[in-house]
Amino acid sequence: MSWPLRVGIVGGGFMARTHAHAARAAGAHVVALTSSSRESAERAARALGVPETAPDVVALARQVDVVHVCSPNAVHAAHALAAIEAGAHVVCEKPLATSAGEAAVLVRAADEAGVTATVPFVYRFHPMVREARARVAAGAVGRLLTVRGTYLQDWMLDAGADDWRVDPEAGGPSRAFADIGSHLVDLLEFVAGDQVVRLAATIARAHPVRAGRPVLTEDAAAVVVETRGGAVGTLLVSQVSAGRKNALTVELAGTAGAVQVEQERPDELWLGRPEGATVLARDPARLSPDAARLSTVPAGHPMGYLDAFEAFARDTYARVRGEEPDGLPRFADGLRAARLTDAVLRAAASGTWVPVDHSEGAP
């Protein structure tokens, strides 16, 4: 294994740029890139300052240590599997796959190959998220009673808005929930230390047609959940909520208190008590050890999305080196999100409560 790590990227869009930035900030060298065509790969490589291009994922994987898969959803599974079989460690954008069955195959393949395989559920890496998790684990909220989560955006509100994710052939059978709902449920379960065991759901489409083609994937999903520990709650996911840009919020309430994290206020943690509420500002001197570890700048200096992405990359590369950083989202977490997405679609289609699959490995 070379040091610094050599990283290769699959794709050339916004997420490829974000991954390249995070990889470099975490100390790796981004040495090669591949995309859907030679022309697009060369264009992306120039834009991202990547010195080489590769003709395909296998060729890319053979010249690097870690492959970051940032291609469209429908090819995540094929690209990740090709990288694993070529012997590379893999970071694969969510959704890990467009079905739980495909995601389970990837979990098994990564385990059998003995490679590090992670999914960038990067909101886990905000220091105040780790602080909320530590407080819940320490009993600060008591027995969990209710959960509330929302992830609201507005970029698909206009009828003229279009994106490759609208097409199930490229984005998969779910759009809003697979895209941002996966982040929401991962964050909720990560902070709570509890899992959703059954749910009921309904989905909505804002416009029947976009760019001259029928819309088959959801713009919004509303979900009622029950957790293994007996808490109940609601999740609302929307890409058509006017004025909301990236409003990811999770609130957990129990017999002793409540905590709320907001992605758009990443340096704050809301704490609820019967006698009133307070807001804890990020200050490494006052935080739990894991939250302080991720708090890489002094109090009063704002941290945000790119800092969280860098921390995710840093912990992924630490795992490649043989360390075991706490809270690193692995392919099993990507499988978990895929199973929850499948359950939401089944519940919406049936109009009934459905269980969430908790089996391990490939079916």
Side-chain angles (χ1 to χ4, degrees):
M1 187 69 65
S2 62
W3 307 107
L5 289 174
R6 298 164 301 167
V7 165
I9 294 178
V10 184
F14 167 73
M15 291 315 305
R17 294 195 302 274
T18 303
H19 280 250
H21 172 88
R24 288 166 174 149
H29 289 170
V30 183
V31 300
L33 180 148
T34 191
S35 191
S36 56
S37 70
R38 178 179 176 180
E39 293 74 18
S40 63
E42 291 176 347
R43 183 169 56 249
R46 286 193 300 271
L48 299 179
V50 179
E52 297 182 32
T53 63
D56 54 42
V57 176
V58 173
L60 179 75
R62 287 175 177 166
Q63 66 186 95
V64 301
D65 304 304
V66 185
V67 171
H68 287 238
V69 176
C70 308
S71 47
N73 299 353
V75 289
H76 281 179
H79 289 167
L81 186 60
I84 291 169
E85 291 177 344
H89 303 278
V90 181
V91 175
C92 184
E93 260 300 330
K94 49 81 205 157
L96 180 58
T98 56
S99 73
E102 283 186 318
V105 170
L106 291 177
V107 171
R108 183 171 61 191
D111 287 345
E112 291 176 352
V115 299
T116 294
T118 64
V119 180
F121 289 127
V122 297
Y123 299 117
R124 291 185 179 198
F125 290 85
H126 284 308
M128 302 313 284
V129 166
R130 296 297 176 107
E131 182 66 17
R133 179 178 182 240
R135 288 172 180 251
V136 171
V141 304
R143 178 170 55 86
L144 192 59
L145 299 175
T146 63
V147 300
R148 177 176 64 86
T150 59
Y151 201 157
L152 310 177
Q153 300 175 334
D154 69 357
W155 65 289
M156 295 298 289
L157 179 59
D158 189 88
D162 192 29
D163 184 81
W164 58 263
R165 294 172 181 82
V166 176
D167 180 5
E169 292 297 317
S174 171
R175 176 165 35 95
F177 200 87
D179 185 24
I180 59 176
S182 57
H183 275 300
L184 175 59
V185 293
D186 179 79
L187 188 63
L188 186 148
E189 292 187 342
F190 180 69
V191 174
D194 198 359
Q195 289 189 320
V196 174
V197 293
R198 67 178 191 134
L199 56 83
T202 187
I203 60 175
R205 299 178 182 92
H207 308 289
V209 176
R210 293 182 187 271
R213 62 188 178 193
V215 175
L216 303 177
T217 53
E218 80 282 0
D219 290 300
V223 187
V224 181
V225 301
E226 182 181 330
T227 74
R228 188 182 303 279
V232 296
T234 59
L235 309 176
L236 179 62
V237 172
S238 173
Q239 294 176 326
V240 290
S241 293
R244 298 295 186 182
K245 302 306 177 184
N246 203 51
L248 169 58
T249 301
V250 167
E251 180 179 303
L252 308 176
T255 54
V259 297
Q260 177 180 281
V261 293
E262 294 184 64
Q263 196 281 146
E264 292 185 335
R265 296 175 179 266
D267 273 353
E268 297 178 354
L269 177 63
W270 182 89
L271 302 170
R273 294 288 183 273
E275 61 272 17
T278 59
V279 174
L280 176 67
R282 184 185 58 80
D283 182 348
R286 303 173 61 195
L287 301 181
S288 62
D290 200 32
R293 174 182 74 90
L294 295 173
S295 189
T296 54
V297 298
H301 297 72
M303 294 184 66
Y305 174 74
L306 292 180
D307 297 293
F309 225 110
E310 176 189 339
F312 160 75
R314 192 168 56 244
D315 277 8
T316 293
Y317 302 158
R319 177 65 177 74
V320 171
R321 293 194 300 268
E323 301 175 28
E324 290 292 344
D326 182 48
L328 182 64
R330 309 287 291 278
F331 269 21
D333 299 295
L335 169 58
R336 172 70 183 161
R339 284 175 167 165
L340 280 156
T341 300
D342 281 3
V344 167
L345 294 181
R346 286 188 286 113
S350 67
T352 62
W353 284 82
V354 301
V356 179
D357 184 2
H358 287 79
S359 61
E360 296 183 2

